[in-house]
Amino acid sequence: MKSSQALRILALAGLAIFQSHAARADVRLPAIFSDHAVLLSGAAVPVWGWADAGEKVEVSIAGQTKSATPGADGKWMVKLNALKADAKPQELTVKGRNTVTVKDVLVGEVWLGSGQSNMAFVVKSAKDFEKEQAASDLPQMRMFTVISGASEKAEENCQGVWLVCSPQTVSVFSATLFFFGREIHKSLGVPVGLINSSVGGTPIESWIASEAQHASPELKGFFEIAKQTEKKFDAETAKAEFEKDLAKWNEDVKQARAEKKPLPKKPADPVALRARKGNVGGLFNGKIAPLIPYAIRGALWYQGEANTTPEKAPFYEHQLALLVTDWRQRWGSEFPFAWVQLPNFTRPGEGWPLVREAMLKTMKLPKTGMAITIDIGEQHNIHPKNKQEVGRRLSLWALSSVCGKKVESASGPLPAGHEVKGDKIVLKFSHADGGLAARGGDALRGFMVAGEDRQWKPAATHIEGDTVIVCSPEIAKPVAVRYAWQDWPECNLINGAGLPASPFRTDEWK
């Protein structure tokens, strides 16, 4: 099955389920509770939906039955007792005046993935697709892709369906989530459900509830800048410019075809692009709110590229922390949360290092992790194809920190303090598992050192245990160090498991 065909089936099936549920006047469930679903093991599982006020609703699965009575708004919810992981297909039955039966339900691990295009990036576009497709007959792995868009208000339901992983369906799975889930499935031997709610090109502010952002004093400056930017945007002018560009593009396409040359890139419609990205909180409303409080083991975030502009990057550390804490609060659970640090990529300016630093700083929150990818980017491709390694690195954190499995290392080296000693600075690292080293046995690269004059010089370095000692013959009294502080840095510090160290700096200079 071609990926475009699978996507059409996904969209039509999701719409059919959504419409059939919406048409009922009696008991109905949100789309997330549909055939082939995976429920979380080892924790209470909320099941909810709608029915007539006062109608008794019974929910049954795996030998247990829970009941609820809808309120005046027609909403009801039960919480199932913790279920054991089970690869045997079961039925979830919901009874009121009518009966709704969800078939082929498994119990195991459930993870939510969200973000922009690198989370949306499908297996079909990842490296070695044919090889991965041939090995994708994994019926205990399923993925629910949210196909609804942004909304002005928090929605109660979304569109989407659960797909069972197979060579016919895997092409449209989120690659990062698939490769992550495959490692979890392989290690734990239990079913894995993956929920993909992501949209390419979207900024983090679209994914956090508007009221939470406007209540944050740290984001006051962000909204002042956004207000000025909004004033400058004129939809009519933008539309006219786009139509002019589109007309020229059509002529260029004709000429390119006549001359048998590559076709030029189609211009983007700025008005449509703004609508797709959603306003502040728009994607949270349309693509996250309908999933709450579906029981998940944890969440994975792959985003940041859209927030690397000079006016946005300084706010990212506050936004990412807010996204984590607000989602957790709304779910009523401090579930584990990890993200993918932006990889190496050529984009001038300090935006990429600042967003990477924001991601590193946000690890101060409990139960968080980060996949460091500073060594697997592509210099001129913002969508690197090696999603296998991205998923694997996320799984190392999850298996170690969440699932209690022993792994060689859960993370690449992270800065853990520094000390100035005369003309040297001693940098200490956590996650130096198996010892620090330079990849390939080469000399360490990527370290810069500065004195009080803030002039950066290449550092001479050597490793001692879990520390790196840096100095420069040009600086008698060093005060600060930076590592891999460029968009496309030359850097090679790793631990014994071959995982790269995170970019960082010891200063806070602008």
Coordinates of all heavy atoms in Angstrom, one line a residue, residues 58-88:
E58 N -22.4 1.1 31.9 CA -21.5 0.1 32.4 C -20.3 -0.1 31.4 O -20.6 -0.3 30.2 CB -22.2 -1.2 32.6 CG -23.2 -1.1 33.8 CD -23.8 -2.5 34.1 OE1 -23.7 -3.4 33.3 OE2 -24.4 -2.6 35.2
V59 N -19.1 -0.2 32.0 CA -17.9 -0.4 31.1 C -17.3 -1.7 31.6 O -17.0 -1.8 32.8 CB -16.9 0.8 31.3 CG1 -15.7 0.5 30.4 CG2 -17.6 2.1 30.8
S60 N -17.0 -2.6 30.7 CA -16.5 -3.9 31.1 C -15.3 -4.3 30.2 O -15.3 -4.1 29.0 CB -17.5 -5.0 30.9 OG -18.7 -4.7 31.7
I61 N -14.3 -4.9 30.8 CA -13.1 -5.5 30.1 C -12.4 -6.3 31.1 O -12.3 -6.0 32.3 CB -12.2 -4.4 29.5 CG1 -11.1 -5.1 28.6 CG2 -11.5 -3.6 30.6 CD1 -10.3 -4.1 27.8
A62 N -11.8 -7.4 30.6 CA -10.9 -8.3 31.4 C -11.5 -8.7 32.8 O -10.8 -8.7 33.8 CB -9.5 -7.6 31.6
G63 N -12.8 -9.0 32.8 CA -13.4 -9.5 34.0 C -13.8 -8.5 35.0 O -14.3 -8.8 36.1
Q64 N -13.7 -7.2 34.7 CA -14.1 -6.2 35.6 C -15.2 -5.2 35.0 O -15.1 -5.0 33.7 CB -13.0 -5.3 36.2 CG -12.2 -4.5 35.2 CD -11.2 -3.6 35.8 OE1 -11.6 -2.6 36.5 NE2 -9.9 -3.8 35.6
T65 N -16.1 -4.8 35.8 CA -17.1 -3.9 35.3 C -17.2 -2.6 36.2 O -17.3 -2.8 37.4 CB -18.5 -4.6 35.2 OG1 -18.4 -5.7 34.3 CG2 -19.6 -3.6 34.8
K66 N -17.3 -1.5 35.6 CA -17.4 -0.2 36.3 C -18.6 0.5 35.8 O -18.9 0.4 34.6 CB -16.2 0.7 36.2 CG -14.9 0.0 36.7 CD -14.8 0.1 38.2 CE -13.5 -0.4 38.8 NZ -13.4 -0.3 40.2
S67 N -19.3 1.3 36.6 CA -20.5 2.0 36.2 C -20.4 3.4 36.5 O -19.7 3.9 37.4 CB -21.8 1.3 36.8 OG -21.7 1.5 38.2
A68 N -21.2 4.2 35.7 CA -21.2 5.7 36.0 C -22.6 6.2 35.5 O -23.3 5.5 34.7 CB -20.1 6.4 35.2
T69 N -22.9 7.4 35.9 CA -24.2 8.0 35.5 C -23.8 9.4 35.0 O -23.3 10.2 35.7 CB -25.2 8.1 36.7 OG1 -25.4 6.8 37.2 CG2 -26.5 8.8 36.2
P70 N -24.2 9.7 33.7 CA -23.9 11.0 33.1 C -24.6 12.1 33.9 O -25.7 12.0 34.4 CB -24.4 10.9 31.7 CG -24.5 9.4 31.4 CD -24.8 8.8 32.7
G71 N -23.9 13.3 34.0 CA -24.5 14.4 34.6 C -25.4 15.2 33.6 O -25.7 14.6 32.5
A72 N -25.8 16.4 33.9 CA -26.6 17.1 33.1 C -26.0 17.4 31.7 O -26.8 17.6 30.7 CB -27.0 18.5 33.8
D73 N -24.7 17.5 31.6 CA -24.0 17.7 30.4 C -23.9 16.5 29.5 O -23.3 16.5 28.4 CB -22.7 18.4 30.6 CG -21.7 17.6 31.4 OD1 -22.1 16.5 31.9 OD2 -20.6 18.0 31.7
G74 N -24.3 15.3 30.1 CA -24.2 14.1 29.3 C -22.9 13.3 29.4 O -22.7 12.3 28.8
K75 N -21.9 13.9 30.1 CA -20.6 13.3 30.2 C -20.6 12.3 31.3 O -21.2 12.4 32.4 CB -19.5 14.4 30.5 CG -19.4 15.4 29.4 CD -18.4 16.4 29.7 CE -18.2 17.5 28.6 NZ -17.3 18.6 29.0
W76 N -19.8 11.2 31.1 CA -19.6 10.2 32.1 C -18.2 9.7 32.1 O -17.5 9.9 31.0 CB -20.6 9.0 32.0 CG -20.5 8.3 30.6 CD1 -21.2 8.6 29.5 CD2 -19.5 7.3 30.2 NE1 -20.8 7.8 28.5 CE2 -19.8 7.0 28.9 CE3 -18.5 6.7 30.8 CZ2 -19.0 6.1 28.1 CZ3 -17.7 5.7 30.1 CH2 -18.0 5.4 28.8
M77 N -17.7 9.1 33.2 CA -16.3 8.6 33.2 C -16.3 7.5 34.3 O -16.9 7.6 35.3 CB -15.3 9.7 33.5 CG -13.9 9.1 33.6 SD -12.6 10.4 34.1 CE -12.6 11.3 32.6
V78 N -15.5 6.5 34.0 CA -15.2 5.4 35.0 C -13.7 5.3 35.0 O -13.0 5.7 34.0 CB -15.8 4.1 34.7 CG1 -17.3 4.2 34.6 CG2 -15.2 3.5 33.4
K79 N -13.1 4.7 36.0 CA -11.7 4.4 36.1 C -11.6 2.9 36.4 O -11.9 2.4 37.4 CB -11.0 5.2 37.2 CG -10.8 6.7 36.8 CD -9.8 7.4 37.7 CE -9.5 8.8 37.3 NZ -8.6 9.5 38.2
L80 N -11.0 2.2 35.4 CA -10.8 0.8 35.5 C -9.6 0.6 36.4 O -8.7 1.3 36.5 CB -10.5 0.2 34.1 CG -11.6 0.3 33.1 CD1 -11.0 -0.2 31.7 CD2 -12.8 -0.5 33.5
N81 N -9.7 -0.5 37.2 CA -8.6 -0.9 38.0 C -7.4 -1.3 37.1 O -7.6 -1.6 35.9 CB -8.9 -2.1 38.9 CG -10.1 -1.8 39.9 OD1 -10.2 -0.6 40.3 ND2 -10.8 -2.8 40.3
A82 N -6.2 -1.2 37.7 CA -5.0 -1.5 36.9 C -5.2 -2.8 36.1 O -5.5 -3.8 36.7 CB -3.8 -1.5 37.8
L83 N -4.8 -2.8 34.8 CA -4.9 -4.0 34.0 C -3.5 -4.5 33.8 O -2.5 -3.8 33.8 CB -5.4 -3.6 32.6 CG -6.9 -3.0 32.6 CD1 -7.1 -2.3 31.2 CD2 -7.9 -4.1 32.9
K84 N -3.4 -5.9 33.7 CA -2.1 -6.5 33.4 C -1.8 -6.5 31.9 O -2.8 -6.6 31.1 CB -2.2 -8.0 33.9 CG -2.2 -8.1 35.4 CD -2.2 -9.6 35.8 CE -2.2 -9.7 37.3 NZ -2.2 -11.2 37.7
A85 N -0.6 -6.3 31.6 CA -0.2 -6.4 30.1 C -0.7 -7.7 29.5 O -0.5 -8.7 30.1 CB 1.3 -6.2 30.0
D86 N -1.3 -7.6 28.4 CA -1.9 -8.7 27.7 C -1.9 -8.6 26.2 O -2.5 -7.6 25.7 CB -3.3 -9.0 28.3 CG -3.8 -10.4 28.0 OD1 -3.2 -11.0 27.1 OD2 -4.8 -10.8 28.6
A87 N -1.3 -9.5 25.5 CA -1.2 -9.5 24.1 C -2.4 -10.2 23.5 O -2.6 -10.1 22.2 CB 0.1 -10.1 23.6
K88 N -3.3 -10.8 24.3 CA -4.5 -11.4 23.8 C -5.5 -10.4 23.5 O -5.9 -9.6 24.4 CB -5.0 -12.5 24.8 CG -6.2 -13.2 24.3 CD -6.7 -14.2 25.4 CE -7.9 -14.9 25.0 NZ -8.4 -15.9 26.0

